């Protein structure tokens, strides 16, 4: 018991900070900690100091500690169990739980990730699911403390059954919606991929219009790239849907300084996954792809505003940073300069 206590108490005090830092890092797409964020582990450091068997420390009664632990749980320890007073366990730890849960919810709400239009965003769904589950279990663990302080009888069996039921529901959800956990708890593996490729079948394009056709890749090319990325065809197609929806609904192409990392952060997928989907599944490099949206926007606005604005002004409003970029992109996309393109279209429409 002393050995287990000394090992797990510091981890127990570090868990709330780890959870909050994971939420914060996930939202901001960061994989390292800033120097000041290491200060969140000060409680864990104090816990290490607390459980060290200091020479001058009076011997601890592990029989009483074990009995209290078994009867009412970790947060009920009122017996002397380390260097600091006993309230270091049953007061400081609950305060850490409440504080870091509040900070986590604040970080999520402030990021507005829950307000994203696309409810199929895997990152959005994962982080909200994780936060809700953690909130339930952590607050449930604090209920006995509140009831004990109010002298209300505690039925530990009820809380055990409740937690088991919730765990069972989560397990059933995971079994019926495994894609929800791809990239977070589960590795996305397409078990039928080999058979599918042997039958020379290829994924269908996901575009439902003629504005931006998606290129169908040969099976051997798709299989080779998937092997490198460790992504199934279904997940690549989902990424393509999310990227295309974000571009169209948010009109990201109107931003002159738009970069691929901006799109990846909005959709909440790795940049190299985003780059692969655009280059191989959609069939254009990133610059040509967003320029095609800008040109389509320009062609929609030009007939409506040509009496008021010049071609160059409309091109700038469509997201092009310079005239040269606009003319080069237009010729590459439509095969002619804007003036010649409009004259040709006018001639084709005339009897």
């Amino acid at each position: 018991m002393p050995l287990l206590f000394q090992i797990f108490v510091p981890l127990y005090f570090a868990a709330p900070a780890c959870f909050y830092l994971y939420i914060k890092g996930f939202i901001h797409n960061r994989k390292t900690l800033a120097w000041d964020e290491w200060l969140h582990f000060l409680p864990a450091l104090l816990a290490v100091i607390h459980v060290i068997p200091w020479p001058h420390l009076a011997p601890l009664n592990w029989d009483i500690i074990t009995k209290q632990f078994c009867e009412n749980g970790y947060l009920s320890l009122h017996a002397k169990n380390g260097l600091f007073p006993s309230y270091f366990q049953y007061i400081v730890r609950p305060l850490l739980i409440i504080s870091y849960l509040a900070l986590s919810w604040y970080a999520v709400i402030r990021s507005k990730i829950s307000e994203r239009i696309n409810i199929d965003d895997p990152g959005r769904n994962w982080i909200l699911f994780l936060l809700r589950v953690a909130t339930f279990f952590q607050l449930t663990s604090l209920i006995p403390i509140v009831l004990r302080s109010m002298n209300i009888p505690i039925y530990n069996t009820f809380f055990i059954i409740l937690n088991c039921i919730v765990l069972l529901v989560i397990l059933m959800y995971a079994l019926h919606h495994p894609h929800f956990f791809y990239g977070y708890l589960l590795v996305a593996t397409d078990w039928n991929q080999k058979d599918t490729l042997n039958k020379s079948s290829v994924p269908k394009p996901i575009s439902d219009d003629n504005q931006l056709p998606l290129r169908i890749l040969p099976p051997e090319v798709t299989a080779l790239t998937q092997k490198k990325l460790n992504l199934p065809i279904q997940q690549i197609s989902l990424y393509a849907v999310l990227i295309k929806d974000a571009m169209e609904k948010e009109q990201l192409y109107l931003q002159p300084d738009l970069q691929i990392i901006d799109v990846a952060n909005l959709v909440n997928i790795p940049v190299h996954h985003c780059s692969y989907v655009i280059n191989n599944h959609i069939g254009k490099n990133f610059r040509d792809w967003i320029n095609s949206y800008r040109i389509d926007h320009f062609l929609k606005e030009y007939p409506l505003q040509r009496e008021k604005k010049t071609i160059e002004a409309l091109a700038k409003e469509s997201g092009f940073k310079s005239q040269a970029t606009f003319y080069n992109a237009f010729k590459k996309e439509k095969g002619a300069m804007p003036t010649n393109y409009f004259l040709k279209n006018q001639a084709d429409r005339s009897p």
Side-chain angles (χ1 to χ4, degrees):
M1 182 64 185
L3 179 61
L4 293 175
F5 191 83
Q6 291 164 0
I7 292 175
F8 286 101
V9 165
L11 298 178
Y12 204 49
F13 273 77
C18 290
F19 179 78
Y20 165 69
L21 293 173
Y22 173 79
I23 296 288
K24 188 177 179 181
F26 188 97
I27 291 173
H28 299 288
N29 195 27
R30 291 193 291 111
K31 297 182 180 180
T32 57
L33 296 179
W35 69 269
D36 57 330
E37 290 178 328
W38 289 98
L39 297 176
H40 290 286
F41 294 102
L42 282 178
L45 178 60
L46 292 176
V48 172
I49 298 174
H50 174 70
V51 299
I52 291 177
W54 299 99
H56 67 280
L57 189 65
L60 301 178
N61 191 331
W62 287 103
D63 291 334
I64 295 178
I65 294 174
T66 304
K67 182 180 179 181
Q68 291 184 358
F69 182 83
C70 294
E71 287 179 352
N72 296 312
Y74 175 81
L75 296 178
S76 66
L77 294 180
H78 286 72
K80 180 73 173 179
N81 53 70
L83 178 65
F84 303 129
S86 57
Y87 61 77
F88 181 73
Q89 302 285 349
Y90 64 84
I91 293 181
V92 175
R93 181 55 167 71
L95 288 177
L96 288 176
I97 293 175
I98 296 174
S99 300
Y100 279 107
L101 278 179
L103 288 174
S104 299
W105 276 107
Y106 175 76
V108 168
I109 294 173
R110 186 179 180 184
S111 70
K112 299 183 179 180
I113 191 173
S114 60
E115 299 177 6
R116 290 184 181 175
I117 298 176
N118 194 341
I119 61 174
D120 293 326
D121 183 342
R124 168 190 181 275
N125 293 339
W126 162 251
I127 208 66
L128 292 178
F129 169 83
L130 179 64
L131 188 54
R132 289 164 180 166
V133 170
T135 301
F136 171 81
F137 283 109
Q138 293 292 351
L139 294 183
T140 301
S141 69
L142 298 179
I143 291 177
I145 300 177
V146 178
L147 296 179
R148 195 179 297 113
S149 64
M150 300 172 63
N151 295 323
I152 298 176
I154 301 172
Y155 302 98
N156 290 329
T157 305
F158 169 78
F159 292 101
I160 294 174
I161 294 176
L162 178 62
N163 287 338
C164 289
I165 291 175
V166 175
L167 284 173
L168 182 61
V169 171
I170 294 173
L171 178 61
M172 296 299 295
Y173 185 87
L175 291 174
H176 287 83
H177 303 84
H179 63 279
F180 187 81
F181 302 92
Y182 285 167
Y184 307 110
L185 290 182
L186 303 176
V187 177
T189 302
D190 185 4
W191 300 103
N192 298 319
Q193 179 180 341
K194 184 176 180 181
D195 295 336
T196 303
L197 294 175
N198 289 338
K199 296 177 182 178
S200 298
S201 62
V202 293
K204 296 180 179 180
I206 60 170
S207 180
D208 55 358
D209 53 43
N210 295 323
Q211 178 183 357
L212 191 59
L214 303 181
R215 183 172 66 183
I216 301 177
L217 300 177
E220 59 273 12
V221 176
T222 303
L224 178 61
T225 311
Q226 280 181 259
K227 185 176 181 180
K228 294 180 180 180
L229 290 179
N230 194 27
L231 291 175
I233 295 174
Q234 293 87 342
Q235 190 164 354
I236 293 174
S237 298
L238 174 61
Y239 281 171
V241 172
L242 296 176
I243 292 170
K244 187 170 181 288
D245 286 349
M247 181 63 67
E248 295 175 357
K249 293 179 180 179
E250 303 293 334
Q251 291 187 316
L252 301 178
Y253 50 85
L254 297 181
Q255 303 175 18
D257 297 320
L258 181 67
Q259 301 293 328
I260 191 170
I261 190 174
D262 300 322
V263 179
N265 287 341
L266 180 62
V267 182
N268 203 14
I269 66 175
V271 176
H272 63 283
H273 288 183
C274 183
S275 177
Y276 164 73
V277 171
I278 294 173
N279 282 276
N280 297 279
H281 202 76
I282 293 177
K284 293 185 176 182
N285 64 52
F286 178 73
R287 193 56 50 191
D288 289 344
W289 180 54
I290 61 174
N291 283 344
S292 66
Y293 277 107
R294 291 166 175 167
I295 290 170
D296 288 333
H297 181 82
F298 169 83
L299 292 175
K300 291 177 182 177
E301 294 297 321
Y302 181 76
L304 303 176
Q305 303 190 48
R306 60 183 178 183
E307 301 295 334
K308 303 178 182 178
K309 299 180 180 179
T310 63
I311 289 179
E312 289 76 12
L314 287 173
K316 187 175 182 180
E317 292 180 1
S318 300
F320 289 100
K321 295 184 68 173
S322 66
Q323 298 181 19
T325 303
F326 165 68
Y327 284 117
N328 290 335
F330 195 98
K331 185 175 182 180
K332 185 175 183 179
E333 185 75 16
K334 299 300 180 181
M337 298 300 279
T339 303
N340 295 335
Y341 175 83
F342 293 128
L343 290 176
K344 184 179 182 299
N345 283 356
Q346 186 177 1
D348 291 341
R349 287 194 299 266
S350 60

